[in-house]
Amino acid sequence: MTVLRYLLWPFSILYGGIMLLRNLLYDKGWLSSERFDLPVIAVGNLTVGGTGKTPHVEYLLRLLTDKRTAVLSRGYRRKSKGFVLADDKATAHTLGDEPFQYYRDFPDVTVAVCESRPAGIAQLLQLKPAPEVVVLDDAMQHRPVNPSLNLMLTDYGRPFYEDHVLPTGLLREPRQGARRADAIIVTKCPATLATAEMMRIDKRIRRYSRPDTPVFFSAFRYGNPVGIGNATQLSKRVVLLTGIANASPLLHYLAEKKFEVVQHLEYPDHYSYTLADMEKLKGILEESNGKDMIIITTRKDAVKLSDGIIAAATQELPIFYIPVEVYFLQQAGEAFDELVGQHVSTFKASIPIAGDKK
């Protein structure tokens, strides 16, 4: 532990204590936690960013295509307030980047944002027809809703059981929060992860989870680059443009596929691109002395680059995004799909429902 971490340790103890007290108040029913008369699947983590949450939400949305599904997010860094239902006027500014991505990529899914998840679910239930399933995006710490299925993600490269509470580490709450999970997914695993290593990780997770909580291991599968704007001809020389929490897996993939990353423009997660950023990209390409060079980015960034006032500037640039999908190791996808499918098909409402105390 570095000197800085030692200095921050008292603040982590204070913050962790506050979160433990908050969770205790919810667990004892002294703070209200609402349940609803339909399956509510929460996807979240104990860590600040970077666990691959968005591709896992998308996995669920593809899995639930036979149901009227809604995804509800708080819409981090959006410019709007209150409950907003995505429609043909939606933008990344009104919804936030991830909900806007869901709206663009899943036209049959109802997408909404609201700071208050209970209020947001209540609004969704007023729709005609109402959703049959609600997926809560990034809701592990949103205790005012008591989900019927709580899915917790943890990054293989930085597992929660080796991390510390903010500000010493990146945990939003102490490791014991894993006990609320109904299933835990270790994300961003190497495709060749050995069974012995899985067993070791599983054992360490179970120090904090419930004994019967299933543990799954997932990895990313990248697709061929997809062009947006003036992008038709691929090149192996690229400028990488990212505004995500952790670009390491994408960098590893590009290296594996023999792309030469000439420059990496790495912006903070949820970054809002500007015309000045587009001009910077244009200048980098012009300085390449006529050599073929393209811009590669993520799907999350691509939807923002194709939106709003920068869309016209984007059209002039050779930008490609790399699609990414989640798959489960050792054919565990069938077991995970069955867990979710069985939960949804056999769901029975608790009595009383919305407004009760857990």
Side-chain angles (χ1 to χ4, degrees):
M1 187 178 290
T2 65
V3 173
L4 179 58
R5 285 193 171 187
Y6 274 117
L7 294 174
L8 294 174
W9 191 249
F11 298 99
S12 292
I13 293 174
L14 176 61
Y15 175 72
I18 292 171
M19 292 303 295
L20 283 173
L21 176 61
R22 176 180 182 266
N23 284 329
L24 178 64
L25 294 175
Y26 276 109
D27 293 342
K28 295 296 184 182
W30 296 326
L31 289 178
S32 179
S33 185
E34 296 189 40
R35 290 182 283 182
F36 292 86
D37 193 11
L38 81 170
V40 175
I41 303 174
V43 181
N45 51 55
L46 300 185
T47 311
V48 177
T51 57
K53 175 177 54 60
T54 301
H56 285 80
V57 169
E58 292 177 335
Y59 184 98
L60 284 173
L61 298 183
R62 286 188 287 270
L63 180 62
L64 296 168
T65 51
D66 62 334
K67 299 290 182 181
R68 290 193 306 274
T69 304
V71 57
L72 177 65
S73 171
R74 62 173 171 157
Y76 183 63
R77 287 195 176 180
R78 63 188 169 113
K79 305 302 182 183
S80 58
K81 297 291 183 183
F83 178 82
V84 179
L85 186 67
D87 57 20
D88 57 6
K89 296 179 182 178
T91 68
H93 290 289
T94 60
L95 296 179
D97 50 13
E98 289 159 350
F100 186 55
Q101 179 178 332
Y102 302 143
Y103 174 68
R104 290 282 293 269
D105 291 350
F106 296 89
D108 295 329
V109 172
T110 300
V111 178
V113 294
C114 191
E115 297 91 341
S116 168
R117 308 297 173 87
I121 296 175
Q123 291 267 25
L124 287 171
L125 292 178
Q126 298 303 310
L127 299 177
K128 303 296 183 183
E132 297 173 303
V133 185
V134 172
V135 177
L136 294 182
D137 179 21
D138 196 13
M140 188 77 185
Q141 285 73 42
H142 196 84
R143 299 297 304 272
V145 169
N146 177 13
S148 58
L149 186 66
N150 208 348
L151 304 178
M152 179 188 134
L153 312 183
T154 185
D155 190 330
Y156 169 81
R158 185 161 185 163
F160 75 95
Y161 54 76
E162 292 181 352
D163 210 342
H164 302 282
V165 173
L166 290 164
T168 300
L170 293 178
L171 293 184
R172 298 171 175 177
E173 60 175 297
R175 301 169 186 176
Q176 291 81 355
R179 289 192 63 81
R180 299 198 305 279
D182 297 304
I184 295 174
I185 306 172
V186 183
T187 68
K188 302 182 184 178
C189 295
T192 56
L193 186 63
T195 300
E197 177 70 358
M198 291 183 185
M199 294 174 64
R200 185 190 69 81
I201 294 171
D202 184 285
K203 184 176 180 180
R204 296 196 66 180
I205 285 174
R206 294 191 186 283
R207 296 179 187 176
Y208 303 98
S209 70
R210 300 194 304 268
D212 59 343
T213 302
V215 176
F216 300 93
F217 296 83
S218 71
F220 285 164
R221 179 184 292 116
Y222 291 97
N224 294 323
V226 177
I228 64 174
N230 183 28
T232 56
Q233 187 68 38
L234 277 172
S235 169
K236 287 293 185 178
R237 300 182 73 245
V238 306
V239 176
L240 181 60
L241 177 68
T242 60
I244 58 177
N246 180 10
S248 296
L250 180 55
L251 279 165
H252 178 77
Y253 170 78
L254 292 175
E256 189 178 74
K257 294 299 180 180
K258 308 302 182 184
F259 284 94
E260 178 191 357
V261 179
V262 177
Q263 191 168 343
H264 182 191
L265 299 182
E266 189 173 13
Y267 295 97
D269 197 13
H270 304 286
Y271 181 73
S272 295
Y273 293 100
T274 66
L275 288 173
D277 297 323
M278 299 303 100
E279 286 299 316
K280 182 175 181 179
L281 283 168
K282 186 177 180 181
I284 292 172
L285 296 181
E286 290 174 349
E287 291 172 3
S288 66
N289 298 321
K291 296 179 181 177
D292 290 337
M293 189 182 295
I294 62 172
I295 300 162
I296 284 185
T297 191
T298 69
R299 179 54 177 159
K300 177 177 169 179
D301 292 302
V303 295
K304 291 185 288 185
L305 293 169
S306 304
D307 181 45
I309 61 172
I310 66 170
T314 298
Q315 294 297 314
E316 301 175 2
L317 297 169
I319 302 178
F320 294 80
Y321 71 86
I322 305 290
V324 60
E325 289 188 4
V326 164
Y327 70 97
F328 288 86
L329 301 184
Q330 294 192 344
Q331 300 179 327
E334 292 183 9
F336 179 81
D337 293 357
E338 184 179 358
L339 182 150
V340 174
Q342 201 168 55
H343 171 77
V344 171
S345 63
T346 62
F347 174 83
K348 293 183 179 179
S350 303
I351 300 177
I353 49 172
D356 70 326
K357 291 186 176 182
K358 183 179 176 181

